Amino acid sequence: MKSFFYFVFLFSTLISCTQQEPQHFTHEVLNRMTPVKDQGDSPTCWIYAMLATMETEHLRWGDSVNLSPYYIEKMIEQEPQRPKNNHGMCMTLINLIHKYGIVGYDAMRTIDTPAPRYVFMFGAEYTPQEFARSVCAPDEYAALTSNPHEPYYKEIDIDTPDNWYHDKFFNIPIDSLLDKTEHAVRTHHGVCWESKNHAMAIVGIAHDDMGKKYFIMKNSWGTDRPYNGLEYLSYEDFRKETLAIELPYSSIKEY
């Protein structure tokens, strides 16, 4: 997924050579985040993106968790219905956490590390499932989409092999989806963004020198690219490319 998304990004840049890519961004909001991770050749950006979203949400509470994507990569080996390419959606990650639990990043820093049986924190011992309940409560996150070919304000299926847990997404107009996303980010919530080819956490809002608005995205391709692991997605491209958004229900109630 990483290599395909990079090809699409490079191709779109080349065909729009008449428009200079802005190099300077002014941050309006930049929410707290854990260190940028690198998914390498793994096609599991959906895991990294949703975990990063949860980490930012916890930082909003004054809590700090840094979660291991490798634990979930190991757990999906037990899922017979998973695609061979290990693709998934960000709501898939939530289902897997509720089923298998989660551990901290320091407890499992590579896919080759044996999956821990316990999580140790503040002198107490927890199973990964017990720890997961403190990380992500049931029904904590809303799954939203915008498909003009389906009825609005109803739950719909997203028909893609990546949605192998068959999660439902609440369908709303794209401008409403953008507004809810912007409100959540401006109030410092964790937000997860998905296109058909990639997923990232949204950690802020910026504008360029012409006043054009962007969401600041925390990517999972390491820090050796421009902007040290961040990407900038224009509001215009958000409207065109967004497949789904996951954000806390509490951010919607505040809206």
Side-chain angles (χ1 to χ4, degrees), residues 43-180:
T44 54
C45 60
W46 51 280
I47 294 176
Y48 286 78
M50 195 64 222
L51 291 182
T53 298
M54 293 176 180
E55 290 162 358
T56 289
E57 182 67 11
H58 275 261
L59 287 167
R60 181 182 186 270
W61 305 346
D63 187 16
S64 179
V65 292
N66 193 12
L67 305 169
S68 174
Y70 305 108
Y71 179 82
I72 299 298
E73 288 189 52
K74 182 72 73 175
M75 293 301 106
I76 61 177
E77 295 174 1
Q78 304 179 47
E79 293 288 309
Q81 75 271 33
R82 77 185 192 280
K84 291 182 179 180
N85 59 16
N86 281 348
H87 286 184
M89 297 192 70
C90 294
M91 289 303 293
T92 310
L93 180 279
I94 292 179
N95 290 315
L96 294 172
I97 279 184
H98 289 155
K99 185 173 183 179
Y100 297 108
I102 189 65
V103 302
Y105 184 75
D106 287 338
M108 191 171 179
R109 299 175 69 97
T110 72
I111 188 65
D112 298 321
T113 304
R117 296 178 58 191
Y118 298 100
V119 176
F120 299 94
M121 184 172 292
F122 304 120
E125 178 183 282
Y126 305 91
T127 66
Q129 290 84 358
E130 289 171 335
F131 179 58
R133 287 195 284 273
S134 70
V135 169
C136 179
D139 301 322
E140 182 175 342
Y141 285 86
L144 307 177
T145 190
S146 183
N147 184 344
H149 305 294
E150 297 285 349
Y152 286 134
Y153 307 109
K154 294 182 180 295
E155 288 190 329
I156 66 169
D157 289 312
I158 293 181
D159 186 15
T160 170
D162 294 354
N163 190 22
W164 47 276
Y165 251 92
H166 307 291
D167 286 299
K168 301 285 188 178
F169 294 76
F170 193 68
N171 191 33
I172 60 177
I174 189 62
D175 285 344
S176 179
L177 183 60
L178 191 152
D179 288 346
K180 292 180 188 302

Side-chain angles (χ1 to χ4, degrees), residues 180-192:
K180 292 180 188 302
T181 300
E182 180 174 10
H183 172 80
V185 176
R186 288 192 182 278
T187 52
H188 313 299
H189 286 282
V191 181
C192 191

